[in-house]
Structures are given as C-alpha cells and as structure tokens.
Amino acid sequence: MNRVGWTVTGLAAVMLGVTGCGSGGTAQEKGTASAPTASSATARPEDSGPITKTEMRMVLDSVTADVGAPPNDPAWAGLDAKFQIGTLGDCTVSYKGLDTAAATLDVSRANALADALTGRGWTEPHKRKERTAADGTVDLVEGVFKKRGWTVVMEYRLFTDNRSLGLTAFDEACVKKVRAAGGAAFPG
C-alpha cells in the first residue's frame, strides 16, 4: 500500500474512533457569521473561548514547526482539502508530516510534539500508547489531547520504507451535531 493509501486508512480509523467525544466548545459553521454581542465585542482572556477551524490550523502548523517536524505533506493537504467538504470533514483539521532528510521523524520527535501540546495547555486524558515491533523498535505512538472543545489525535508510525507523524483535530460539538443528524463518517 502506498503513502496515500496508508494515510486514508489511518484517517478512516481515526474518524471512526471519535465516537463518544465529550461536549463543550462551539462548532464554527462554514459560511455563517453572527453579529457581535456586547460580551463578544470586549477582549477576552488569552486562551479562552471557542477555537475556530482557522485557529486550529494555526495551532497545528505552529506546534509542528516548533518541534522541527516537516511541513504538512502537499499530497496529504490536497487529500485533506477534499475531505473538508460535508459531514465530519466540516469538523476536522489535520496535519501529516512524512520523514525527510531535512526533518527526520522518530519517537523522540513524536514525544516532543506531545510535550509541546501539553506545554500549550492541552491535557492528555489517557496514557500515550506505544507499540514495539518484533525487532524492539517502537513503530507506533498514539496520543489524545483535549482543550476547549477540541480533541487532537496524534499518531507516529514507522513503516518499512518511511515514517509519518499525524495530527487530526476534531471539534467535539460539531462531531456531536453531525452524528445527531445521522451524518456519515466520510463525505462523498
């Protein structure tokens, strides 16, 4: 299976595993705007209030850059854009970095990414999972992080010919709304 195939398979597993997300936060609808209220017109404390998809994109881009991970893979970004239309795609923002000569991915970089998220106030409600291959190499690291109505799933994978690091962020309120309306896991 090629990189895109593994990526789609991984995204499918993550998307299907998001059932039971907690409540909280406000879903930002595409193409909707609301008039500012007196309370929203005043400045709010930093790191409070709902996180928009645009803000989440900036979070993923900045946290990965801070730990020296490669930029979002262009092929993945194109595929991700396709899934951002309809159903649960409206509720997600994702990043996929692939091992490069300039930015080698390994377990320590995945753990640095997790530490960077928790350093920015994200909580890790479950112990991070690591899987070890028969040769003793860690070939999978998975973590879940929560903050202000969003869940971020981190996944590091070591394949025979490459390594990948992925983050998929879910707006929990949006996921609940789509599921309540009978939305499918994937658009199209």
Coordinates of all heavy atoms in Angstrom, one line a residue, residues 74-172:
P74 N 2.2 18.0 1.0 CA 1.3 18.6 0.0 C 0.3 17.6 -0.5 O -0.9 18.0 -0.8 CB 2.3 19.0 -1.1 CG 3.6 19.1 -0.5 CD 3.6 18.2 0.6
A75 N 0.7 16.3 -0.7 CA -0.3 15.4 -1.2 C -1.4 15.1 -0.2 O -2.6 15.0 -0.5 CB 0.4 14.0 -1.5
W76 N -1.0 15.1 1.1 CA -1.9 14.9 2.2 C -2.8 16.2 2.3 O -4.0 16.0 2.4 CB -1.2 14.7 3.5 CG -2.2 14.8 4.6 CD1 -2.4 15.8 5.5 CD2 -3.2 13.7 5.0 NE1 -3.4 15.5 6.4 CE2 -3.9 14.2 6.1 CE3 -3.4 12.5 4.5 CZ2 -4.9 13.5 6.7 CZ3 -4.4 11.8 5.1 CH2 -5.1 12.2 6.2
A77 N -2.3 17.3 2.2 CA -3.0 18.6 2.3 C -4.1 18.6 1.2 O -5.3 19.0 1.4 CB -2.1 19.8 2.2
G78 N -3.8 18.1 0.0 CA -4.8 18.1 -1.1 C -5.9 17.1 -0.8 O -7.0 17.4 -1.1
L79 N -5.5 15.9 -0.3 CA -6.5 14.9 0.0 C -7.3 15.4 1.2 O -8.5 15.3 1.2 CB -5.8 13.6 0.4 CG -6.6 12.4 0.8 CD1 -7.5 12.0 -0.4 CD2 -5.7 11.3 1.3
D80 N -6.7 16.0 2.2 CA -7.4 16.6 3.3 C -8.4 17.6 2.9 O -9.5 17.7 3.4 CB -6.4 17.2 4.3 CG -7.0 17.6 5.6 OD1 -7.9 16.9 6.1 OD2 -6.7 18.7 6.1
A81 N -8.0 18.5 2.0 CA -9.0 19.5 1.5 C -10.2 18.9 0.8 O -11.3 19.4 1.0 CB -8.3 20.4 0.5
K82 N -10.0 17.7 0.2 CA -11.2 17.0 -0.4 C -12.1 16.6 0.6 O -13.4 16.6 0.5 CB -10.6 15.8 -1.2 CG -11.7 15.0 -1.9 CD -11.1 13.8 -2.6 CE -12.3 13.0 -3.2 NZ -11.7 11.8 -3.8
F83 N -11.6 16.1 1.8 CA -12.5 15.6 2.9 C -13.0 16.7 3.8 O -13.7 16.5 4.7 CB -11.7 14.6 3.7 CG -11.6 13.3 3.0 CD1 -10.4 12.9 2.5 CD2 -12.7 12.5 2.8 CE1 -10.3 11.7 1.8 CE2 -12.6 11.3 2.2 CZ -11.4 10.8 1.7
Q84 N -12.7 18.0 3.5 CA -13.2 19.1 4.3 C -14.5 19.6 3.9 O -15.0 20.6 4.4 CB -12.2 20.3 4.3 CG -10.9 20.0 5.0 CD -11.1 19.6 6.5 OE1 -11.8 20.3 7.2 NE2 -10.5 18.5 6.9
I85 N -15.2 18.9 2.9 CA -16.5 19.3 2.4 C -17.5 18.3 2.9 O -17.5 17.1 2.5 CB -16.4 19.3 0.8 CG1 -15.3 20.2 0.4 CG2 -17.8 19.7 0.3 CD1 -15.0 20.1 -1.1
G86 N -18.4 18.8 3.8 CA -19.5 17.9 4.2 C -19.2 17.0 5.4 O -18.1 16.7 5.7
T87 N -20.2 16.6 6.0 CA -20.2 15.7 7.2 C -19.1 16.0 8.1 O -18.9 17.1 8.5 CB -20.3 14.2 6.7 OG1 -19.2 13.9 6.1 CG2 -21.5 14.0 5.9
L88 N -18.4 14.9 8.6 CA -17.4 15.1 9.6 C -16.2 15.9 9.1 O -15.4 16.5 9.9 CB -16.9 13.8 10.1 CG -17.9 13.1 11.1 CD1 -17.3 11.8 11.6 CD2 -18.3 13.9 12.2
G89 N -16.0 16.1 7.8 CA -14.9 16.9 7.3 C -15.1 18.4 7.7 O -14.1 19.1 7.9
D90 N -16.3 18.8 8.0 CA -16.6 20.1 8.5 C -16.0 20.3 9.9 O -15.9 21.4 10.3 CB -18.1 20.4 8.5 CG -18.7 20.6 7.1 OD1 -17.9 20.9 6.1 OD2 -19.9 20.4 7.0
C91 N -15.8 19.2 10.6 CA -15.4 19.2 12.0 C -13.9 19.0 12.2 O -13.5 19.0 13.4 CB -16.2 18.2 12.7 SG -18.0 18.2 12.5
T92 N -13.1 18.8 11.2 CA -11.8 18.4 11.4 C -10.7 19.3 10.8 O -11.0 20.0 9.8 CB -11.5 17.0 10.8 OG1 -11.7 17.0 9.4 CG2 -12.4 16.0 11.4
V93 N -9.6 19.3 11.3 CA -8.4 19.9 10.8 C -7.2 18.9 11.0 O -7.2 18.3 12.0 CB -8.0 21.2 11.5 CG1 -6.8 21.9 11.0 CG2 -9.2 22.2 11.5
S94 N -6.4 18.7 10.0 CA -5.4 17.7 10.1 C -4.0 18.1 9.6 O -3.9 19.1 8.8 CB -5.8 16.4 9.5 OG -6.0 16.5 8.1
Y95 N -3.0 17.4 10.0 CA -1.6 17.6 9.6 C -1.1 16.2 9.4 O -1.3 15.3 10.1 CB -0.8 18.3 10.7 CG 0.7 18.0 10.6 CD1 1.5 18.8 9.8 CD2 1.2 17.0 11.3 CE1 2.8 18.6 9.7 CE2 2.6 16.8 11.3 CZ 3.4 17.5 10.5 OH 4.7 17.3 10.4
K96 N -0.2 16.0 8.3 CA 0.5 14.8 8.1 C 1.9 15.2 7.6 O 2.1 15.8 6.6 CB -0.2 13.9 7.1 CG 0.5 12.6 6.7 CD 0.5 11.6 7.9 CE -0.9 11.0 7.9 NZ -1.0 9.9 8.9
G97 N 2.9 14.8 8.4 CA 4.3 15.0 8.0 C 4.9 13.7 7.7 O 4.7 12.7 8.4
L98 N 5.7 13.7 6.7 CA 6.4 12.5 6.2 C 7.9 12.7 6.4 O 8.4 13.8 6.3 CB 6.1 12.1 4.8 CG 4.6 11.9 4.5 CD1 4.4 11.7 3.0 CD2 4.1 10.7 5.3
D99 N 8.6 11.6 6.8 CA 10.0 11.7 7.0 C 10.8 12.3 5.8 O 10.5 11.9 4.7 CB 10.5 10.2 7.2 CG 11.8 10.1 8.1 OD1 12.1 11.1 8.8 OD2 12.4 9.1 8.0
T100 N 11.7 13.2 6.1 CA 12.5 13.8 5.0 C 13.9 13.9 5.5 O 14.2 13.7 6.7 CB 12.1 15.2 4.7 OG1 12.3 16.1 5.8 CG2 10.6 15.3 4.3
A101 N 14.9 14.1 4.6 CA 16.3 14.2 5.0 C 16.4 15.4 5.9 O 17.2 15.4 6.9 CB 17.1 14.4 3.8
A102 N 15.7 16.5 5.7 CA 15.8 17.7 6.5 C 15.1 17.6 7.8 O 15.4 18.3 8.8 CB 15.2 18.9 5.7
A103 N 14.1 16.8 7.9 CA 13.3 16.6 9.2 C 13.0 15.2 9.4 O 12.0 14.7 9.0 CB 12.1 17.5 9.1
T104 N 13.9 14.5 10.1 CA 13.7 13.0 10.3 C 12.7 12.9 11.4 O 12.7 13.6 12.5 CB 15.1 12.4 10.8 OG1 16.0 12.6 9.7 CG2 14.9 10.9 11.0
L105 N 11.8 12.0 11.2 CA 10.8 11.7 12.2 C 11.2 10.5 13.0 O 11.7 9.5 12.5 CB 9.4 11.4 11.6 CG 8.8 12.6 10.9 CD1 7.6 12.2 10.1 CD2 8.5 13.7 11.9
D106 N 11.0 10.5 14.3 CA 11.2 9.4 15.2 C 10.4 9.5 16.4 O 9.6 10.5 16.6 CB 12.7 9.3 15.5 CG 13.3 10.6 16.1 OD1 12.5 11.4 16.6 OD2 14.5 10.7 16.1
V107 N 10.5 8.6 17.4 CA 9.7 8.6 18.6 C 10.0 9.8 19.4 O 9.1 10.4 20.0 CB 10.0 7.3 19.4 CG1 9.3 7.3 20.7 CG2 9.6 6.1 18.6
S108 N 11.3 10.3 19.5 CA 11.6 11.4 20.3 C 10.9 12.7 19.7 O 10.4 13.5 20.5 CB 13.1 11.7 20.4 OG 13.7 11.9 19.1
R109 N 10.8 12.8 18.4 CA 10.1 14.0 17.8 C 8.6 13.9 18.1 O 7.9 14.9 18.4 CB 10.3 14.0 16.3 CG 9.7 15.4 15.8 CD 10.3 15.9 14.5 NE 11.6 15.6 14.1 CZ 12.6 16.5 14.1 NH1 12.4 17.7 14.4 NH2 13.8 16.1 13.7
A110 N 8.0 12.7 18.1 CA 6.6 12.5 18.4 C 6.3 12.9 19.9 O 5.4 13.6 20.2 CB 6.1 11.0 18.2
N111 N 7.2 12.4 20.8 CA 7.1 12.8 22.2 C 7.3 14.3 22.4 O 6.7 14.9 23.2 CB 8.0 12.0 23.0 CG 7.5 10.5 23.2 OD1 6.3 10.3 23.2 ND2 8.4 9.6 23.2
A112 N 8.2 14.9 21.6 CA 8.4 16.4 21.7 C 7.1 17.1 21.3 O 6.8 18.1 21.9 CB 9.6 16.8 20.9
L113 N 6.5 16.6 20.3 CA 5.2 17.2 19.8 C 4.2 17.1 20.9 O 3.4 18.0 21.2 CB 4.8 16.5 18.5 CG 3.5 17.0 17.9 CD1 3.6 18.5 17.6 CD2 3.1 16.2 16.7
A114 N 4.1 15.9 21.5 CA 3.1 15.7 22.7 C 3.4 16.7 23.8 O 2.5 17.3 24.4 CB 3.2 14.3 23.1
D115 N 4.7 16.8 24.1 CA 5.1 17.8 25.2 C 4.8 19.2 24.8 O 4.4 20.0 25.6 CB 6.6 17.6 25.5 CG 7.0 16.3 26.1 OD1 6.1 15.6 26.6 OD2 8.2 15.9 26.1
A116 N 5.0 19.6 23.5 CA 4.7 20.9 23.1 C 3.1 21.2 23.2 O 2.8 22.3 23.6 CB 5.1 21.1 21.6
L117 N 2.3 20.2 22.9 CA 0.9 20.4 23.1 C 0.5 20.6 24.5 O -0.2 21.5 24.9 CB 0.1 19.2 22.5 CG 0.0 19.1 21.0 CD1 -0.5 17.8 20.5 CD2 -0.9 20.2 20.4
T118 N 1.1 19.7 25.4 CA 0.7 19.8 26.8 C 1.3 21.1 27.4 O 0.7 21.8 28.3 CB 1.2 18.6 27.7 OG1 2.6 18.4 27.5 CG2 0.5 17.4 27.3
G119 N 2.4 21.6 26.8 CA 3.0 22.9 27.3 C 2.1 24.0 26.9 O 2.3 25.1 27.4
R120 N 1.3 23.9 25.9 CA 0.3 24.9 25.4 C -1.0 24.7 26.1 O -2.0 25.3 25.6 CB 0.2 24.9 23.9 CG 1.5 25.3 23.2 CD 1.3 25.2 21.7 NE 2.5 25.6 21.1 CZ 2.6 26.1 19.9 NH1 1.5 26.3 19.2 NH2 3.7 26.5 19.3
G121 N -1.1 23.9 27.1 CA -2.4 23.8 27.9 C -3.3 22.7 27.4 O -4.4 22.6 27.9
W122 N -2.9 21.8 26.5 CA -3.7 20.7 26.1 C -3.5 19.6 27.2 O -2.4 19.4 27.6 CB -3.2 20.2 24.7 CG -3.6 21.1 23.6 CD1 -2.9 22.2 23.2 CD2 -4.7 21.0 22.8 NE1 -3.6 22.8 22.2 CE2 -4.7 22.1 21.9 CE3 -5.8 20.1 22.7 CZ2 -5.7 22.4 20.9 CZ3 -6.8 20.4 21.7 CH2 -6.7 21.5 20.9
T123 N -4.6 19.0 27.5 CA -4.5 17.9 28.5 C -4.4 16.6 27.8 O -5.0 16.4 26.7 CB -5.7 17.9 29.5 OG1 -6.9 17.7 28.7 CG2 -5.8 19.2 30.3
E124 N -3.8 15.6 28.4 CA -3.7 14.3 27.8 C -4.4 13.3 28.7 O -3.9 12.9 29.7 CB -2.2 13.9 27.7 CG -1.9 12.7 26.8 CD -0.5 12.5 26.5 OE1 0.4 13.2 27.0 OE2 -0.2 11.6 25.7
P125 N -5.7 13.1 28.5 CA -6.6 12.3 29.4 C -6.2 10.9 29.5 O -6.6 10.2 30.5 CB -8.0 12.5 28.8 CG -7.8 12.8 27.4 CD -6.5 13.5 27.3
H126 N -5.5 10.3 28.6 CA -5.1 8.9 28.6 C -3.6 8.8 28.5 O -3.0 9.6 27.8 CB -5.8 8.1 27.5 CG -7.2 8.4 27.4 ND1 -8.2 7.9 28.3 CD2 -8.0 9.1 26.4 CE1 -9.4 8.3 27.9 NE2 -9.3 9.0 26.8
K127 N -3.1 7.7 29.0 CA -1.6 7.4 28.8 C -1.3 7.2 27.4 O -2.1 6.5 26.6 CB -1.2 6.2 29.7 CG 0.2 5.9 29.6 CD 0.6 4.7 30.5 CE 2.1 4.5 30.3 NZ 2.5 3.3 31.0
R128 N -0.3 7.8 26.9 CA 0.2 7.6 25.5 C 0.5 6.2 25.2 O 1.1 5.5 26.1 CB 1.4 8.5 25.2 CG 1.6 8.9 23.9 CD 2.7 10.0 23.8 NE 2.5 11.1 24.6 CZ 3.4 11.8 25.3 NH1 4.6 11.5 25.2 NH2 3.1 12.8 26.1
K129 N 0.1 5.7 24.1 CA 0.3 4.3 23.7 C 1.5 4.2 22.8 O 1.7 5.0 21.9 CB -0.9 3.7 23.0 CG -2.1 3.6 23.8 CD -3.3 3.1 23.0 CE -4.6 3.2 23.8 NZ -5.7 2.8 23.0
E130 N 2.4 3.2 23.1 CA 3.5 2.8 22.2 C 3.4 1.4 21.9 O 3.1 0.6 22.7 CB 4.8 3.1 22.9 CG 5.2 4.6 23.0 CD 6.6 4.8 23.4 OE1 7.4 3.9 23.6 OE2 6.9 6.0 23.6
R131 N 3.7 1.0 20.6 CA 3.8 -0.4 20.2 C 5.2 -0.7 19.7 O 5.8 0.1 19.0 CB 2.8 -0.6 19.1 CG 2.7 -2.1 18.6 CD 1.7 -2.3 17.6 NE 2.2 -1.7 16.3 CZ 1.5 -1.5 15.2 NH1 0.2 -1.9 15.2 NH2 2.0 -1.0 14.2
T132 N 5.7 -1.8 20.1 CA 7.0 -2.2 19.8 C 7.0 -3.3 18.8 O 6.3 -4.3 19.0 CB 7.8 -2.6 21.0 OG1 7.8 -1.5 22.0 CG2 9.3 -2.9 20.7
A133 N 7.8 -3.2 17.7 CA 7.9 -4.3 16.7 C 8.7 -5.4 17.3 O 9.4 -5.3 18.3 CB 8.5 -3.7 15.4
A134 N 8.7 -6.5 16.5 CA 9.5 -7.7 17.0 C 11.0 -7.4 17.2 O 11.6 -8.0 18.0 CB 9.3 -8.8 15.9
D135 N 11.5 -6.5 16.4 CA 12.9 -6.2 16.5 C 13.2 -5.2 17.6 O 14.4 -4.7 17.8 CB 13.5 -5.6 15.2 CG 12.9 -4.3 14.8 OD1 12.0 -3.7 15.5 OD2 13.3 -3.7 13.8
G136 N 12.2 -4.8 18.4 CA 12.4 -3.9 19.5 C 12.2 -2.4 19.2 O 12.3 -1.6 20.1
T137 N 12.0 -2.1 18.0 CA 11.8 -0.7 17.5 C 10.3 -0.3 17.8 O 9.4 -1.0 17.5 CB 12.1 -0.6 16.0 OG1 13.3 -1.1 15.7 CG2 12.0 0.8 15.5
V138 N 10.2 0.9 18.3 CA 8.9 1.5 18.5 C 8.3 1.9 17.1 O 8.9 2.7 16.5 CB 8.9 2.7 19.5 CG1 7.5 3.3 19.6 CG2 9.3 2.2 20.9
D139 N 7.2 1.2 16.7 CA 6.7 1.5 15.4 C 5.4 2.3 15.4 O 4.9 2.6 14.4 CB 6.6 0.3 14.5 CG 5.6 -0.7 15.1 OD1 5.0 -0.5 16.2 OD2 5.3 -1.7 14.4
L140 N 4.9 2.6 16.6 CA 3.6 3.3 16.7 C 3.6 4.0 18.0 O 3.8 3.5 19.1 CB 2.4 2.3 16.6 CG 1.0 2.9 16.8 CD1 0.7 3.8 15.6 CD2 0.0 1.8 17.0
V141 N 3.2 5.3 18.0 CA 2.9 6.1 19.2 C 1.6 6.8 18.9 O 1.4 7.5 17.9 CB 4.1 7.2 19.4 CG1 3.7 8.0 20.7 CG2 5.4 6.5 19.6
E142 N 0.7 6.7 19.9 CA -0.6 7.3 19.7 C -0.9 8.1 21.0 O -0.6 7.6 22.1 CB -1.7 6.3 19.5 CG -1.7 5.6 18.2 CD -2.7 4.5 18.1 OE1 -3.1 3.9 19.1 OE2 -3.2 4.3 17.0
G143 N -1.4 9.3 20.8 CA -1.8 10.1 22.0 C -3.1 10.9 21.7 O -3.4 11.2 20.5
V144 N -3.8 11.3 22.7 CA -5.0 12.0 22.6 C -4.9 13.2 23.5 O -4.5 13.1 24.7 CB -6.3 11.2 23.0 CG1 -7.5 12.1 22.9 CG2 -6.4 10.0 22.1
F145 N -5.3 14.4 23.0 CA -5.1 15.7 23.7 C -6.5 16.4 23.6 O -7.1 16.4 22.6 CB -4.0 16.5 23.1 CG -2.7 15.7 23.1 CD1 -2.4 14.9 22.0 CD2 -1.8 15.8 24.2 CE1 -1.2 14.2 22.0 CE2 -0.7 15.1 24.2 CZ -0.3 14.3 23.1
K146 N -6.8 17.1 24.7 CA -8.1 17.9 24.7 C -7.9 19.3 25.2 O -7.1 19.5 26.1 CB -9.1 17.2 25.6 CG -9.6 15.8 25.0 CD -10.6 15.2 25.9 CE -11.3 14.0 25.3 NZ -12.2 14.4 24.3
K147 N -8.7 20.2 24.6 CA -8.6 21.6 25.1 C -9.8 22.3 24.4 O -10.0 22.3 23.2 CB -7.3 22.2 24.6 CG -7.2 23.7 25.1 CD -5.8 24.2 24.7 CE -5.5 25.6 25.1 NZ -4.2 26.1 24.7
R148 N -10.5 23.0 25.3 CA -11.6 24.0 24.8 C -12.5 23.4 23.7 O -12.7 24.1 22.7 CB -10.9 25.3 24.4 CG -10.4 26.0 25.6 CD -9.6 27.3 25.3 NE -10.0 28.1 24.2 CZ -9.2 28.8 23.4 NH1 -7.9 28.7 23.7 NH2 -9.6 29.5 22.4
G149 N -13.0 22.2 23.9 CA -13.9 21.6 23.0 C -13.4 21.0 21.8 O -14.1 20.6 20.9
W150 N -12.1 20.8 21.7 CA -11.4 20.1 20.6 C -10.7 18.9 21.2 O -10.1 18.9 22.3 CB -10.4 21.0 19.9 CG -11.0 22.0 19.0 CD1 -11.6 23.1 19.4 CD2 -11.1 21.9 17.6 NE1 -12.1 23.8 18.3 CE2 -11.8 23.1 17.2 CE3 -10.7 21.0 16.6 CZ2 -12.1 23.3 15.8 CZ3 -11.0 21.2 15.3 CH2 -11.6 22.4 14.9
T151 N -10.6 17.8 20.4 CA -9.8 16.6 20.6 C -8.8 16.5 19.5 O -9.1 16.6 18.3 CB -10.6 15.4 20.7 OG1 -11.6 15.5 21.8 CG2 -9.8 14.1 20.9
V152 N -7.5 16.4 19.9 CA -6.4 16.2 18.9 C -5.9 14.7 19.0 O -5.5 14.4 20.1 CB -5.3 17.2 19.0 CG1 -4.1 16.9 18.1 CG2 -5.8 18.6 18.8
V153 N -5.9 14.0 18.0 CA -5.3 12.6 18.0 C -4.0 12.7 17.3 O -3.9 13.2 16.1 CB -6.2 11.6 17.3 CG1 -5.6 10.2 17.2 CG2 -7.6 11.6 17.9
M154 N -2.9 12.3 18.0 CA -1.5 12.3 17.4 C -1.2 10.8 17.1 O -1.5 9.9 17.9 CB -0.5 12.8 18.4 CG 0.9 12.8 17.9 SD 2.1 13.1 19.2 CE 2.1 11.6 20.1
E155 N -0.5 10.6 16.0 CA -0.1 9.3 15.6 C 1.2 9.4 14.9 O 1.4 10.0 13.9 CB -1.1 8.6 14.7 CG -0.8 7.2 14.3 CD -1.8 6.6 13.4 OE1 -1.8 6.9 12.2 OE2 -2.6 5.8 13.9
Y156 N 2.2 8.6 15.4 CA 3.5 8.4 14.8 C 3.5 7.0 14.3 O 3.2 6.1 15.1 CB 4.7 8.7 15.8 CG 6.0 8.1 15.3 CD1 6.7 8.7 14.3 CD2 6.4 6.9 15.8 CE1 7.9 8.2 13.9 CE2 7.6 6.3 15.4 CZ 8.4 7.0 14.4 OH 9.5 6.4 14.0
R157 N 3.9 6.8 13.1 CA 4.0 5.4 12.5 C 5.4 5.2 11.8 O 5.8 6.1 11.1 CB 2.9 5.1 11.5 CG 1.6 4.9 12.1 CD 0.6 4.3 11.1 NE -0.6 4.0 11.7 CZ -0.9 2.8 12.2 NH1 0.0 1.8 12.1 NH2 -2.1 2.5 12.7
L158 N 6.0 4.1 12.1 CA 7.2 3.7 11.4 C 6.8 2.5 10.4 O 6.3 1.5 10.9 CB 8.2 3.2 12.4 CG 9.5 2.5 11.8 CD1 10.3 3.4 10.9 CD2 10.3 2.0 12.9
F159 N 6.9 2.8 9.1 CA 6.6 1.7 8.1 C 8.0 1.2 7.7 O 9.0 1.8 8.0 CB 5.9 2.3 6.9 CG 4.5 2.8 7.3 CD1 4.3 4.2 7.4 CD2 3.5 2.0 7.6 CE1 3.0 4.7 7.8 CE2 2.2 2.4 8.0 CZ 2.0 3.8 8.1
T160 N 8.0 0.2 6.8 CA 9.3 -0.3 6.4 C 10.0 0.7 5.5 O 11.3 0.7 5.6 CB 9.0 -1.6 5.5 OG1 8.1 -1.3 4.5 CG2 8.5 -2.7 6.4
D161 N 9.4 1.5 4.8 CA 10.1 2.4 3.9 C 9.9 3.9 4.3 O 10.5 4.8 3.6 CB 9.6 2.3 2.5 CG 8.1 2.5 2.3 OD1 7.4 2.5 3.3 OD2 7.7 2.7 1.1
N162 N 9.2 4.3 5.3 CA 9.1 5.7 5.7 C 8.5 5.8 7.1 O 8.0 4.8 7.7 CB 8.2 6.4 4.7 CG 6.8 6.0 4.6 OD1 6.3 5.3 5.5 ND2 6.1 6.3 3.5
R163 N 8.5 7.0 7.6 CA 7.8 7.3 8.9 C 6.9 8.5 8.7 O 7.1 9.3 7.8 CB 8.9 7.8 9.9 CG 9.9 6.7 10.2 CD 11.0 7.3 11.2 NE 12.0 6.3 11.4 CZ 13.2 6.4 11.1 NH1 13.7 7.5 10.4 NH2 14.1 5.5 11.4
S164 N 5.8 8.5 9.5 CA 4.8 9.6 9.4 C 4.4 10.0 10.7 O 4.5 9.3 11.7 CB 3.6 9.2 8.6 OG 2.9 8.2 9.3
L165 N 4.0 11.3 10.8 CA 3.5 11.9 12.0 C 2.3 12.6 11.7 O 2.3 13.4 10.8 CB 4.6 12.9 12.6 CG 4.2 13.5 13.9 CD1 4.0 12.5 15.0 CD2 5.4 14.5 14.3
G166 N 1.2 12.3 12.3 CA -0.1 12.9 12.0 C -0.8 13.5 13.2 O -0.6 13.0 14.3
L167 N -1.5 14.5 13.0 CA -2.4 15.2 14.0 C -3.8 15.3 13.3 O -3.8 15.9 12.2 CB -1.9 16.5 14.4 CG -0.6 16.6 15.2 CD1 -0.1 18.0 15.3 CD2 -0.7 15.9 16.5
T168 N -4.8 14.9 14.0 CA -6.2 15.1 13.5 C -6.9 15.8 14.6 O -7.0 15.2 15.7 CB -6.8 13.9 13.0 OG1 -6.0 13.3 12.0 CG2 -8.2 14.2 12.4
A169 N -7.4 17.0 14.4 CA -8.2 17.7 15.4 C -9.7 17.7 15.1 O -10.1 17.9 13.9 CB -7.7 19.2 15.5
F170 N -10.5 17.4 16.1 CA -11.9 17.3 15.9 C -12.6 18.3 16.8 O -12.4 18.3 18.0 CB -12.4 15.9 16.4 CG -11.8 14.8 15.6 CD1 -10.7 14.1 16.0 CD2 -12.4 14.4 14.4 CE1 -10.2 13.1 15.3 CE2 -11.9 13.3 13.7 CZ -10.8 12.7 14.1
D171 N -13.5 19.1 16.3 CA -14.4 20.0 17.0 C -15.5 19.1 17.6 O -16.3 18.6 16.9 CB -14.9 21.1 16.1 CG -15.8 22.0 16.8 OD1 -16.5 21.7 17.8 OD2 -15.9 23.2 16.4
E172 N -15.4 18.9 18.9 CA -16.3 17.9 19.5 C -17.8 18.3 19.4 O -18.6 17.4 19.1 CB -16.0 17.8 21.0 CG -14.6 17.2 21.3 CD -14.1 17.3 22.7 OE1 -14.9 17.9 23.5 OE2 -13.0 16.9 23.0

